[in-house]
Amino acid sequence: MMLSLDTIRLGVPEVADAQRFYADTFVPADVVAVHGAEELAADAATKPATSGFRGYVMSYVVSQPSEVRFVLDAAVRAGATVLKPAKKSLFGAFSAVYQAPDGAIWKLSAPTKKDTGPAAEPPAPTETAALLGVAEPKATKEFYTALGMTADRDYGNKYIDFRPTPGTARLALMTRPVLAKDVGVAADGSGFSSVVLGARAESPESVEAILAAAASAGGRVVNPAVETEQGGYAGSFADPDGFVWQIAYE
């Protein structure tokens, strides 16, 4: 049994508008999908109302600074609001932050402060990640390692992430106030996070095993596993900080 971050589902007010925005900003559709906010909230067994900081940030890593600028410019043209302009930084080397029209916050970054060649147009992300704002990253790390994830970079309660397998997204943990400060917003917020994280399972039995492991490690089963209309098998759990995961066998 090993949990992996295979899909990230974002709740949005208007699906067609959000699909156009993310296509225009080169977000990989095989990893990030958009759903109506009410539909996604129903899947998470909660109400769709949300206000303030949602507690998570999407991360999009490219190869060099000019590609950060390229993606940021595309996002602005598509209706995004710049929260932090593109500039050199200690964390991420070169980064920028924007808020999409649907409310999701995105951090763009490159691992180097200088370009090493012409920018790819459009650039392909070298990594997509979900950064979660949690109460205690060290404690939340124990939850995810109990579900089979392997810590990669571990700086205690400052920052922890997990090693992604090929073709999946990275999961990272920071405290909520630090994450909010990193992207330039207030940490206050309430209601549904408007995100559901997704993992693919190898069998119905694996779905059940992951849900049971999550409950044993301090999470909560949100929706017991059932057969889906498409002939698969799926259920969901919430981690100790309330972030919802759907585990699905298709």
Side-chain angles (χ1 to χ4, degrees):
M1 179 195 70
M2 185 178 74
L3 186 71
S4 60
L5 182 50
D6 297 303
T7 60
I8 303 166
R9 300 164 65 199
L10 305 179
V12 301
E14 298 291 340
V15 172
D17 290 346
Q19 287 174 332
R20 282 192 293 271
F21 175 84
Y22 289 118
D24 288 345
T25 52
F26 324 114
V27 172
D30 58 334
V31 176
V32 179
V34 297
H35 298 261
E38 292 189 1
E39 172 196 348
L40 196 66
D43 286 348
T46 190
K47 297 179 180 179
T50 184
S51 64
F53 182 44
R54 297 177 180 177
Y56 79 94
V57 171
M58 293 297 302
S59 170
Y60 184 108
V61 182
V62 290
S63 297
Q64 55 187 1
S66 57
E67 295 177 350
V68 170
R69 295 190 186 95
F70 187 93
V71 176
L72 181 63
D73 289 346
V76 170
R77 287 195 300 271
T81 301
V82 176
L83 299 180
K84 284 193 171 183
K87 62 180 181 179
K88 297 177 182 179
S89 62
L90 294 176
F91 186 73
F94 192 91
S95 64
V97 181
Y98 72 79
Q99 187 165 33
D102 61 79
I105 294 175
W106 286 77
K107 181 173 183 177
L108 310 172
S109 61
T112 176
K113 293 180 174 67
K114 294 183 179 180
D115 288 339
T116 56
E121 297 185 9
T126 58
E127 181 177 281
T128 305
L131 313 178
L132 307 185
V134 303
E136 295 184 33
K138 289 197 295 184
T140 303
K141 169 196 166 185
E142 296 305 316
F143 173 81
Y144 283 109
T145 54
L147 271 63
M149 284 190 159
T150 301
D152 192 359
R153 292 166 289 191
D154 185 346
Y155 302 106
N157 277 330
K158 293 183 178 180
Y159 177 88
I160 298 172
D161 64 19
F162 300 90
R163 187 175 302 122
T165 56
T168 67
R170 184 180 292 272
L171 181 70
L173 310 173
M174 300 172 70
T175 64
R176 182 185 178 101
V178 170
L179 180 59
K181 182 178 180 180
D182 185 56
V183 295
V185 299
D188 297 337
S190 61
F192 181 42
S193 64
S194 293
V195 65
V196 171
L197 309 174
R200 300 185 183 96
E202 297 179 352
S203 66
E205 291 77 17
S206 182
V207 173
E208 295 281 7
I210 293 173
L211 294 180
S216 296
R220 172 177 58 88
V221 174
V222 173
N223 293 305
V226 296
E227 291 186 3
T228 66
E229 294 180 356
Q230 294 76 27
Y233 196 69
S236 58
F237 70 82
D239 75 5
D241 297 279
F243 291 101
V244 175
W245 286 73
Q246 183 184 62
I247 313 302
Y249 166 73
E250 299 175 350

